[in-house]
Amino acid sequence: MAKVTIIGATGNVGSFAAHTISEIPHVTEMLLMGRPGRENFLEGCCRDMSDSFAARGTQMRLAHSTRLVDVEGSDIIICTSGAPRQAGQDRNDLAVANARVVAETAEIVGERAPDALLLMVTNPVDVMTAVALKYSELEPWQVFGLGTHLDSMRLKALIAGYFKVHVSEVHTRIIGEHGESMVPLWSATTIGGIQICNLPTFSGIPHREMMETVRSSGQFIIKNKGATVYGPGEAIATLVRTILGDENRILTVSGYIKSEVHGIGDACIGVPARLNRKGVFPVPIRLEEQEVAGFKASVDKIRSLTAEVLERLENDC
Ligand SMILES: NC(=O)C1=CN([C@@H]2O[C@H](COP(=O)(O)OP(=O)(O)OC[C@H]3O[C@@H](n4cnc5c(N)ncnc54)[C@H](O)[C@@H]3O)[C@@H](O)[C@H]2O)C=CC1
Ligand SMILES: O=C([O-])CC(=O)C(=O)O
């Protein structure tokens, strides 16, 4: 039994994520939350979703609200509220404006749902995770971001396509920023359980092109259809399913690390973490030299942007 709340449920990602999450058996109650003035739209969303429940036999309590205090009693709160980027913009361009929305939301979440887990989706997601952690005053294992989970899935699909194997045969990770400075871990990439560098065909793999495709996926989709929806929606549902099923899967999400990776840290950033009902726990890892350098650069970038954003928020007060 679990209550899941989606803040930003009137948006592209929030509404699709809601529908995907409604397929998870552990979810017995779902609250769709939007801004004041969006009551009719939310009502319409609920009715539309209920019709789909009837078609597939889903049973759950579905409600909507425009009052953030109604997050009370939630087990997982997903925050997708805030502006998306437009074609040509960088995710980091959204940082200050979205941080204002997130800080206000996180404060109320911390007060009203102190036992909940808070999943940040709003971009730039690593910085927003840090803002949410600070303003909610929740514990680090309670607040996490979608991070590089979606990027890792994008790379996994490309590798599976290249080697003509089922995606379940490929394990790979991208760590660091959900953005330009993300770092692929080829050292942690396996196909059918075999380390990718031990496959004779490995030298031919177009690493650079694959990473360029992953880095530009969001921008490409936004330019062509306005928003990324299905990828993030399914990625969010995977995290929710893993947590509510207490599965202890290791997924690459944005979590607070102190110094767990080669002494690098003090930022919310994409790292492999164990996910269960209690929360999200980054796994200490060892990387290859080149990967360490890339990860350090990524963490430095996010730490300094986070500090800048937090200072702007303090100056607002
Ligand atoms: N981390 C990731 O992998 C991904 C992150 N995103 C991010 O998720 C966020 C939402 O994206 P979309 O759903 O496409 O955008 P959207 O514009 O369709 O929806 C935005 C939602 O946020 C709400 N919102 C906007 N400004 C607000 C404010 N000032 N106060 C309260 N609520 C506000 C809107 O009412 C709406 O519900 C964006 O920041 C986007 O960049 C999107 C896809 C993947
Ligand atoms: O690219 C964007 O702005 C949305 C996003 O984060 C993604 O789909 O990776």
Side-chain angles (χ1 to χ4, degrees):
M1 295 232 321
K3 171 176 171 179
V4 175
T5 295
I6 298 164
I7 305 176
T10 59
N12 281 308
V13 176
S15 58
F16 180 69
H19 196 249
T20 318
I21 290 167
S22 72
E23 290 188 276
I24 301 172
H26 306 281
V27 182
T28 45
E29 193 178 340
M30 182 146 61
L31 177 64
L32 306 184
M33 191 155 289
R35 282 195 276 186
R38 302 292 278 157
E39 290 79 3
N40 290 348
F41 189 91
L42 286 163
E43 180 111 46
C45 288
C46 281
R47 184 76 67 87
D48 193 16
M49 265 179 68
S50 299
D51 290 349
S52 79
F53 291 179
R56 61 158 130 98
T58 301
Q59 282 186 308
M60 77 165 55
R61 205 170 149 249
L62 187 58
H64 63 86
S65 170
T66 55
R67 294 160 11 112
L68 276 171
V69 291
D70 289 335
V71 295
E72 222 161 72
S74 304
D75 296 283
I76 302 187
I77 297 166
I78 299 153
C79 178
T80 67
S81 55
R85 64 174 163 162
Q86 304 300 313
Q89 263 190 317
D90 189 278
R91 295 181 185 94
N92 292 336
D93 297 340
L94 309 167
V96 174
N98 280 352
R100 292 191 173 116
V101 178
V102 167
E104 199 185 324
T105 305
E107 234 169 54
I108 298 172
V109 166
E111 280 163 23
R112 298 289 176 150
D115 298 323
L117 302 186
L118 174 58
L119 166 56
M120 295 305 307
V121 178
T122 311
N123 272 321
V125 70
D126 302 294
V127 178
M128 295 306 114
T129 305
V131 170
L133 178 59
K134 179 175 161 110
Y135 281 82
S136 65
E137 296 185 23
L138 295 175
E139 299 293 344
W141 58 86
Q142 290 178 275
V143 183
F144 64 110
L146 191 55
T148 41
H149 176 59
L150 177 56
D151 305 298
S152 301
M153 291 306 101
R154 286 170 173 157
L155 180 59
K156 183 187 176 104
L158 291 174
I159 295 172
Y162 181 82
F163 285 99
K164 298 189 175 53
V165 296
H166 192 273
V167 282
S168 64
E169 294 298 330
V170 180
H171 278 85
T172 192
R173 291 191 188 282
I174 291 177
I175 58 171
E177 177 195 9
H178 174 54
E180 281 305 305
S181 70
M182 65 178 74
V183 181
L185 295 189
W186 295 106
S187 65
T189 301
T190 61
I191 298 179
I194 299 158
Q195 223 181 352
I196 197 168
C197 59
N198 289 331
L199 293 170
T201 40
F202 175 60
S203 54
I205 180 173
H207 303 86
R208 268 179 220 284
E209 290 81 353
M210 281 184 179
M211 279 311 297
E212 192 32 54
T213 303
V214 172
R215 281 198 181 89
S216 60
S217 264
Q219 190 70 261
F220 176 88
I221 297 166
I222 289 169
K223 191 166 140 247
N224 287 285
K225 72 173 276 259
T228 68
V229 176
Y230 307 124
E234 291 292 345
I236 293 165
T238 300
L239 303 189
V240 172
R241 193 180 297 111
T242 302
I243 287 168
L244 294 180
D246 208 21
E247 290 178 11
N248 281 299
R249 280 184 74 188
I250 295 177
L251 299 170
T252 323
V253 295
S254 189
Y256 177 76
I257 54 163
K258 218 179 197 165
S259 60
E260 286 88 337
V261 182
H262 293 265
I264 304 164
D266 194 23
C268 289
I269 195 86
V271 282
R274 196 161 53 89
L275 274 66
N276 59 36
R277 262 210 93 131
K278 293 198 182 72
V280 168
F281 303 90
V283 178
I285 48 169
R286 285 284 161 268
L287 307 172
E288 299 204 336
E289 213 176 303
Q290 212 183 330
E291 296 167 343
V292 176
F295 184 64
K296 184 173 181 314
S298 194
V299 172
D300 287 348
K301 175 182 174 188
I302 290 301
R303 196 194 305 107
S304 97
L305 181 59
T306 303
E308 203 181 305
V309 167
L310 290 175
E311 197 182 322
R312 291 281 288 273
L313 290 181
E314 270 163 35
N315 290 341
D316 282 352
C317 298

